[in-house]
Amino acid sequence: MTALAPLPDDVIADVIAIRRDLQQHPELGFEERRTAALVAARLRALDYDVTEGIGVTGVAGVTRGTRPGKTIMLRADMDALPIEEENDVAYASQTRGTMHACGHDGHVAMLLGAATLIARRRAELAGTIVLCFQPAEEGRGGAKAMVEDGLLERFGIERAYGLHLASAFPTGIVGLREGAFYASSDSIEITIEGAGGHGAAPHLSIDPIYVAGAFIVAVQQIVARQIDPLAPAVVTIGAVHAGTIHNVIPSRATLLGTVRAFDADVRNALAERIERVLRGVCESSGATYTFDYLRRYPVTSNDAEQTRWVRALAAAEIGATRVIEAPKLMGAEDFSFFAERVPACFYSVGCNGGPATSFPHHHAKFDIDERALETGVRMMTALALNAPEMAP
Ligand code: NI
């Protein structure tokens, strides 16, 4: 279908206004009630069939084309983060301690902009377009909640596409890659049970701090010595809690950690071997332990055929020089729960327009170059106009 350039000025202005409104009114995961209501009202005004409350606060807007074609889903996540915003801009967060520090405000605004353009070209559509506004991407698995609430079956979704604004790339660049893109992200929770006592009499105690220290050092042997060096993996212990005072050996230490990988076999090996190391150091010291390995987000893996097709579409829509091969990211993305079930492609849209918009995601000064929004609107609209008939 023909390229969309140039986008109507009223749509771009509207997308920026929505983005700034959401930035001022951020909501945490599964609490996106104002955001979801805004989305639902907008979609209804554009004559979409709207379903609310999917996976707690998720919203789906459906429109059907006049010709046969696949049912495709375009997804935007809606949640903000528990961070106190430090940007000195007129549209800064008005909610203390909460801000859109990952760009999800832009994701919602772009998909609503695309919703407007799709509605205006409804007569040209094939297949069925499902606009999915997802809650709780940040660590709480809103995508999983929507899947478990039957999102994919309810609407018969056959293909899924999603994007993330990325301050790692210059404004307006589209980045994507075939296969593993974002890492899997799991959590470990450990309690080491020793036997408390006087700091001057370690031989009468089982020191859980010593055992925790031995574990923290030893666990890195898994990535260094037991996992294929060509298969990226990370084990990070992010929290250690034990003890109260200089001269007392406590009875217990607790540790929290995160585990990342790009391969299901590596992920499974990490889960098993972390416990093996823990068991070893505890046994050698006479301590006991509890170990919880919490599987959170799977690897986000892009379908090869879909990705090749989206790359070609992006090149046609925004120009081949603006489409790049994205590197793998050790971050995680719960779009993976959709990509596990239907052929899917997730892509990045660069939003770094200079120093003010170059802060990393989740930084208190994170902000986007709003000129990037046009690229996302353009991509999502092009997917809606083309994917139902043309995508593999
Ligand atoms: Ni994000």
Side-chain angles (χ1 to χ4, degrees):
M1 199 152 293
T2 52
L4 300 165
L7 289 194
D9 288 343
D10 66 316
V11 173
I12 295 169
D14 189 40
V15 168
I16 291 173
I18 295 169
R19 182 262 158 165
R20 292 185 176 191
D21 176 71
L22 295 175
Q23 175 83 5
Q24 289 174 73
H25 302 99
E27 296 171 297
L28 297 176
F30 293 128
E31 296 170 11
E32 307 93 335
R33 303 201 184 280
R34 181 185 180 279
T35 308
L38 181 152
V39 165
R42 287 254 172 185
L43 293 174
R44 283 204 179 92
L46 293 165
D47 239 358
Y48 285 79
D49 290 338
V50 175
T51 308
E52 295 177 78
I54 309 173
V56 189
T57 46
V59 181
V62 179
T63 192
R64 289 175 184 80
T66 51
R67 296 190 309 284
K70 292 188 196 71
T71 298
I72 70 152
M73 180 177 96
L74 306 176
R75 174 270 211 172
D77 44 8
M78 303 190 286
D79 56 323
L81 284 155
I83 296 172
E84 178 74 19
E85 179 158 7
E86 291 178 14
N87 284 313
D88 186 18
V89 291
Y91 52 85
S93 171
Q94 295 176 5
T95 306
R96 281 196 72 82
T98 304
M99 79 172 280
H100 271 292
C102 200
H104 300 185
D105 51 339
H107 301 171
V108 173
M110 287 186 282
L111 196 55
L112 286 175
T116 300
L117 292 171
I118 294 163
R120 287 183 190 175
R121 298 180 69 166
R122 202 168 257 137
E124 300 171 50
L125 289 179
T128 301
I129 314 299
V130 180
L131 305 183
C132 168
F133 294 85
Q134 180 210 300
E137 193 285 324
E138 298 289 358
R140 300 191 62 200
K144 186 170 185 233
M146 289 191 95
V147 166
E148 287 174 351
D149 208 355
L151 172 78
L152 300 175
E153 297 80 14
R154 268 203 237 187
F155 302 105
I157 290 161
E158 295 168 278
R159 299 288 183 268
Y161 306 97
L163 67 73
H164 208 299
L165 289 164
S167 67
F169 300 134
T171 298
I173 293 289
V174 168
L176 69 178
R177 66 178 296 115
E178 292 174 26
F181 190 178
Y182 287 69
S184 59
S185 174
D186 298 328
S187 298
I188 50 175
E189 300 185 0
I190 292 167
T191 304
I192 295 168
E193 297 283 353
H198 198 293
H203 60 298
L204 301 177
S205 314
I206 297 172
D207 183 354
I209 292 179
Y210 170 81
V211 177
F215 169 76
I216 290 165
V217 173
V219 77
Q220 295 304 334
Q221 75 176 286
I222 300 170
V223 173
R225 304 284 84 182
Q226 299 180 30
I227 299 292
D228 183 344
L230 297 178
V234 174
V235 179
T236 290
I237 304 301
V240 182
H241 296 285
T244 51
I245 195 169
H246 313 62
N247 59 352
V248 173
I249 294 171
S251 57
R252 177 178 301 120
T254 58
L255 292 79
L256 305 175
T258 188
V259 181
R260 308 291 170 110
F262 283 101
D263 178 281
D265 290 341
V266 172
R267 187 187 191 196
N268 291 332
L270 286 163
E272 182 248 310
R273 289 173 192 205
I274 291 167
E275 182 168 13
R276 189 169 75 180
V277 170
L278 178 64
R279 190 188 314 130
V281 294
C282 284
E283 273 177 9
S284 69
S285 305
T288 59
Y289 68 87
T290 61
F291 177 75
D292 286 309
Y293 190 93
L294 308 168
R295 287 173 185 268
R296 297 201 184 279
Y297 291 0
V299 177
T300 303
S301 192
N302 275 342
D303 178 82
E305 280 190 323
Q306 293 301 316
T307 306
R308 286 196 284 273
W309 182 79
V310 173
R311 182 180 285 122
L313 183 78
E317 185 58 44
I318 66 164
T321 57
R322 287 168 61 191
V323 183
I324 63 166
E325 176 81 2
K328 285 179 181 169
L329 294 166
M330 266 298 170
E333 170 50 70
D334 75 353
F335 185 80
S336 51
F337 287 103
F338 304 128
E340 275 189 331
R341 287 166 177 81
V342 297
C345 179
F346 195 75
Y347 58 96
S348 301
V349 173
C351 64
N352 182 342
T357 52
S358 64
F359 290 94
H361 293 249
H362 297 202
H363 191 287
K365 287 181 179 289
F366 177 83
D367 199 1
I368 62 167
D369 178 356
E370 290 173 331
R371 292 175 302 168
L373 298 170
E374 181 180 347
T375 305
V377 173
R378 202 176 271 286
M379 283 295 298
M380 286 308 196
T381 308
L383 284 162
L385 291 172
N386 291 281
E389 275 182 323
M390 307 298 288

